[in-house]
């Protein structure tokens, strides 16, 4: 058994998405001691934006006529898909940036979809695989808030992971991570603490059941 974990935060220290994903991972490891965790640090080791275009254009060129860049791109896409396919459970930790999806995660998803095993419209190689998405946001986007509707990342990520890749997906969301950092948000300290506790509890639950094994 193995867990594939992808982190898209551009920082390592003080990262809320990593902290929550650490909880999910710890629960998975508790249920699967001695098993491997394969890590993909996408926020600090991103895929070049040109790789996707090379992989897409390669599909229209006979294999023997492909450029070195196209060959590399196709091989990179295959490697990323292999990493997911060979894992028994998947964990994605992706923050909200500029009201949208992390560019590093989008580039990675686009590249994965360029692989014929994961293209929209085919039964994906990941069908039915258990997965947890951890997503964190500096602000708050719930119903009735001034920024309701401004989070353009979470619904898209759910669409890709649950519907296009047909993962058995659970989601942990944590909001107000900028409380304590941005003084203008100090009024939300109590609420932020509550949301943090809730997110940590949900992370523990999803970590325990990831892979279908109850650890406690
Ligand atoms: C460049 C940048 C853009 C951001 N844009 C948003 C945003 O549009 N909305 C929001 O709620 N938070 C935004 N944030 C805050 C992050 O979502 C928040 O700090 C989150 O905790 C980052 O994930 P991490 O803690 O795992 O690094 C932004 C942060 C950065 C660095």
């Amino acid at each position: 058994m193995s867990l594939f974990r992808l982190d898209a935060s551009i920082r390592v220290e003080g990262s809320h998405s990593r902290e929550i994903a650490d909880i999910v991972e710890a629960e998975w490891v508790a249920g699967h001691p001695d098993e491997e965790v394969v890590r993909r640090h996408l926020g600090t080791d991103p895929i070049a934006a040109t790789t996707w275009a090379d992989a897409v254009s390669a599909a229209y060129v006979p294999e023997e006529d492909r450029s070195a860049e196209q060959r590399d791109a196709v091989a990179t896409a295959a490697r990323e898909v292999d990493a997911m396919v060979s894992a028994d459970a998947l964990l994605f930790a992706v923050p909200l940036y500029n009201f949208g999806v992390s560019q590093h995660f989008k580039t990675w998803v686009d590249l994965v979809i360029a692989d014929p095993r994961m293209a929209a419209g085919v039964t994906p190689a990941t069908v039915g695989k258990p997965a947890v998405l951890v997503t964190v946001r500096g602000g708050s986007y719930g119903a009735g808030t001034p920024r309701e509707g401004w989070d353009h990342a979470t619904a898209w990520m759910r669409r890709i992971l649950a519907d296009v890749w047909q993962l058995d997906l659970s989601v942990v969301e944590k909001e107000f991570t900028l409380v304590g950092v941005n003084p203008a948000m100090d009024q939300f300290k109590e609420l932020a603490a509550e949301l943090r506790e809730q997110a940590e509890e949900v992370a523990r639950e999803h970590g325990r059941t990831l892979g279908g094994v109850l650890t406690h």
Side-chain angles (χ1 to χ4, degrees), residues 9 11 15-17 95-99 136-139 141 177-178:
S9 172
R11 60 185 178 161
S15 160
H16 293 262
S17 57
L96 178 69
Y97 290 131
N98 298 325
F99 310 110
V136 302
R137 304 183 273 274
Y141 298 83
T177 64
L178 285 176

Side-chain angles (χ1 to χ4, degrees), residues 65-106:
D65 295 336
R66 288 177 186 167
S67 67
E69 290 78 13
Q70 287 173 324
R71 284 171 206 274
D72 279 354
V74 168
T76 305
R79 256 198 321 274
E80 299 294 338
V81 175
D82 287 347
M84 275 202 292
V85 169
S86 59
D88 300 285
L90 311 176
L91 171 58
F92 304 94
V94 189
L96 178 69
Y97 290 131
N98 298 325
F99 310 110
V101 71
S102 136
Q103 59 162 293
H104 297 146
F105 188 63
K106 177 69 163 62

Side-chain angles (χ1 to χ4, degrees), residues 2-107:
S2 67
L3 173 71
F4 171 82
R5 171 172 170 177
L6 178 153
D7 283 277
S9 172
I10 56 174
R11 60 185 178 161
V12 176
E13 295 304 318
S15 160
H16 293 262
S17 57
R18 286 179 201 272
E19 199 179 287
I20 296 290
D22 283 347
I23 294 172
V24 177
E25 179 186 322
E27 292 291 344
W28 186 87
V29 168
H32 305 82
D34 309 322
E35 308 296 351
E36 192 187 10
V37 179
V38 177
R39 296 175 201 287
R40 188 71 178 82
H41 293 286
L42 205 58
T44 52
D45 182 18
I47 286 169
T50 50
T51 307
W52 172 64
D54 288 332
V56 169
S57 63
Y60 301 96
V61 179
E63 224 172 307
E64 60 277 14
D65 295 336
R66 288 177 186 167
S67 67
E69 290 78 13
Q70 287 173 324
R71 284 171 206 274
D72 279 354
V74 168
T76 305
R79 256 198 321 274
E80 299 294 338
V81 175
D82 287 347
M84 275 202 292
V85 169
S86 59
D88 300 285
L90 311 176
L91 171 58
F92 304 94
V94 189
L96 178 69
Y97 290 131
N98 298 325
F99 310 110
V101 71
S102 136
Q103 59 162 293
H104 297 146
F105 188 63
K106 177 69 163 62
T107 300

Side-chain angles (χ1 to χ4, degrees), residues 135-174:
T135 188
V136 302
R137 304 183 273 274
S140 179
Y141 298 83
T145 63
R147 291 278 160 93
E148 179 182 357
W150 284 52
D151 168 9
H152 297 283
T154 309
W156 180 83
M157 291 193 286
R158 282 179 179 273
R159 180 67 73 208
I160 294 293
L161 299 175
D163 298 325
V164 178
W165 295 355
Q166 297 180 37
L167 298 171
D168 180 6
L169 185 71
S170 303
V171 181
V172 188
E173 301 183 56
K174 182 179 176 187

